[in-house]
């Protein structure tokens, strides 16, 4: 069982698309929790979103909808969502990420097989499918055997792995490894390559116990509401204790909408102790 946790704010079109991708997932049971902080109507208040929500409920998928107000920042929003979860694994899925079929099962399989605390499917921007950046993927390194804990320091060894997830770099890496590509069938959940990351954005599966052990997102109280990078900090806390990996192919695609957080303050990585 997986708890799928979606924070959302003012993104009705994007959320409906995200839910459509989630509805196509098979091979693993999940429960869905959406926490909305929109200024007006909640993001799910569209005919398109309600169609998917009703379909999921008819298929036996529990769907919980929360209006979590007032907004106190993304870290607090994520902390609230975690408080709603009870499954052994929790997936934080951004409200502007579409998943191709099989991603949820592949992530769940990888988390169990790799035995680490967090596994991510970095979101890919198909608008950059022809934008190849070989200079940004030189840090790619597959995990050979068991995933081990790592402690990264900003701008230290391993930190430049964040560039692996720019644009469509993950898509091109998967093609180079013959895991994905034009004309190929949808990748199966059984086949993936695990690799070393600095962090992953958009679609991240945690071992819930490992996330709670690392403090979850309770550090929200130590951050201003406009802080960013809370997901980076939490992943790196888990990574230091239980290890982390990205997987290819990703199968998670950014909808390339404008950011819902245009005013960003301090980075949680800079503001909080490592």
């Amino acid at each position: 069982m997986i708890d799928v946790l979606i924070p959302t704010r003012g993104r009705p079109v994007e959320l409906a698309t995200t839910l459509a991708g989630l509805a196509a997932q098979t091979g693993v049971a999940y429960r869905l929790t959406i926490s909305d902080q929109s200024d007006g109507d909640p993001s799910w208040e569209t005919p398109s979103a309600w169609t998917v929500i009703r379909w999921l409920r008819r298929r036996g998928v529990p769907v919980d909808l929360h209006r979590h107000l007032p907004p106190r920042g993304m870290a607090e929003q994520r902390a609230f969502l975690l408080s709603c979860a009870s499954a052994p694994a929790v997936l934080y899925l951004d409200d502007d990420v579409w998943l191709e079929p099989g991603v949820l099962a592949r992530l769940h399989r990888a988390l169990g097989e790799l035995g680490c605390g967090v596994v991510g499917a970095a979101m890919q921007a198909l608008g950059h499918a022809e934008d190849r950046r070989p200079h940004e993927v030189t840090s790619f390194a597959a995990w050979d055997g068991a995933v081990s804990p790592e402690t990264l320091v900003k701008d230290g060894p391993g930190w430049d792995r964040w560039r692996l997830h720019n644009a469509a770099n993950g898509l091109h890496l998967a093609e180079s490894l013959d895991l994905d590509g034009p004309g190929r069938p949808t990748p199966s959940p059984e086949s993936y390559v695990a690799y070393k990351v600095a962090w992953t954005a958009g679609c991240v599966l945690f071992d819930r116990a490992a996330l709670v052990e690392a403090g979850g997102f309770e550090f929200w109280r130590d951050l201003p509401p406009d802080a960013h990078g809370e997901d980076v900090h939490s992943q790196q806390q888990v990574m230091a204790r239980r290890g982390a990996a990205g997987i290819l192919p990703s199968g998670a695609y950014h909808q390339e909408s404008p950011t819902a957080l245009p005013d960003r303050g301090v980075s949680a990585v800079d503001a909080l102790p490592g």
Side-chain angles (χ1 to χ4, degrees), residues 186-210:
T186 301
S188 73
E190 287 72 30
S191 179
Y192 65 86
V193 169
Y195 64 98
K196 299 180 180 181
V197 296
W199 69 85
T200 309
C203 182
V204 185
L205 184 67
F206 288 93
D207 178 297
R208 186 174 64 86

Side-chain angles (χ1 to χ4, degrees), residues 6 14-24 30 32 34 44 48-50 52-53 56 97:
I6 301 180
E14 292 86 348
L15 179 64
T17 304
T18 297
L19 294 178
L22 184 61
Y30 64 91
L32 171 61
I34 305 175
W44 63 68
S48 298
W50 272 112
V52 182
I53 290 168
L56 288 170
V97 174

Side-chain angles (χ1 to χ4, degrees), residues 17-236:
T17 304
T18 297
L19 294 178
L22 184 61
Q25 302 303 307
T26 59
V28 59
Y30 64 91
R31 175 173 50 237
L32 171 61
T33 302
I34 305 175
S35 178
D36 181 275
Q37 295 186 324
S38 300
D39 296 326
D41 290 339
S43 296
W44 63 68
E45 207 58 68
T46 66
S48 298
W50 272 112
T51 296
V52 182
I53 290 168
R54 289 171 179 137
W55 184 90
L56 288 170
R57 286 173 170 168
R58 283 177 59 84
R59 294 301 183 271
V61 177
V63 180
D64 295 327
L65 306 175
H66 297 274
R67 287 282 277 162
H68 183 57
L69 298 169
R72 298 183 178 91
M74 275 305 303
E76 193 275 339
Q77 169 82 308
R78 293 184 188 276
F80 170 73
L81 280 164
L82 184 59
S83 74
C84 299
S86 59
V90 295
L91 178 78
Y92 279 97
L93 180 63
D94 283 1
D95 63 354
D96 60 349
V97 174
W98 178 81
L99 303 180
E100 70 182 18
V103 174
L104 200 60
R106 187 159 60 242
L107 281 167
H108 188 253
R109 180 185 181 96
L111 188 68
E113 291 179 344
L114 299 173
C116 55
V118 56
V119 175
M123 57 187 182
Q124 305 300 301
L126 285 173
H128 289 270
E130 304 305 319
D131 177 13
R132 296 184 177 272
R133 305 181 180 186
H135 60 287
E136 291 190 343
V137 298
T138 56
S139 62
F140 177 79
W143 279 107
D144 184 10
V147 175
S148 58
E150 293 184 282
T151 299
L152 299 188
V153 178
K154 186 174 181 179
D155 298 325
W159 190 263
D160 62 344
R161 298 173 193 162
W162 68 266
R163 294 186 175 88
L164 295 171
H165 301 154
N166 282 347
N169 287 342
L171 192 70
H172 300 144
L173 283 167
E175 291 176 358
S176 71
L177 295 169
D178 200 28
L179 295 168
D180 200 356
R184 290 178 59 92
T186 301
S188 73
E190 287 72 30
S191 179
Y192 65 86
V193 169
Y195 64 98
K196 299 180 180 181
V197 296
W199 69 85
T200 309
C203 182
V204 185
L205 184 67
F206 288 93
D207 178 297
R208 186 174 64 86
L211 179 57
V212 171
E213 175 190 280
F217 292 88
E218 292 306 308
F219 55 82
W220 71 266
R221 297 176 178 84
D222 300 320
L223 293 174
D226 63 349
H228 67 280
E230 78 293 332
D231 51 343
V232 177
H233 181 76
S234 62
Q235 289 178 53
Q236 292 187 336

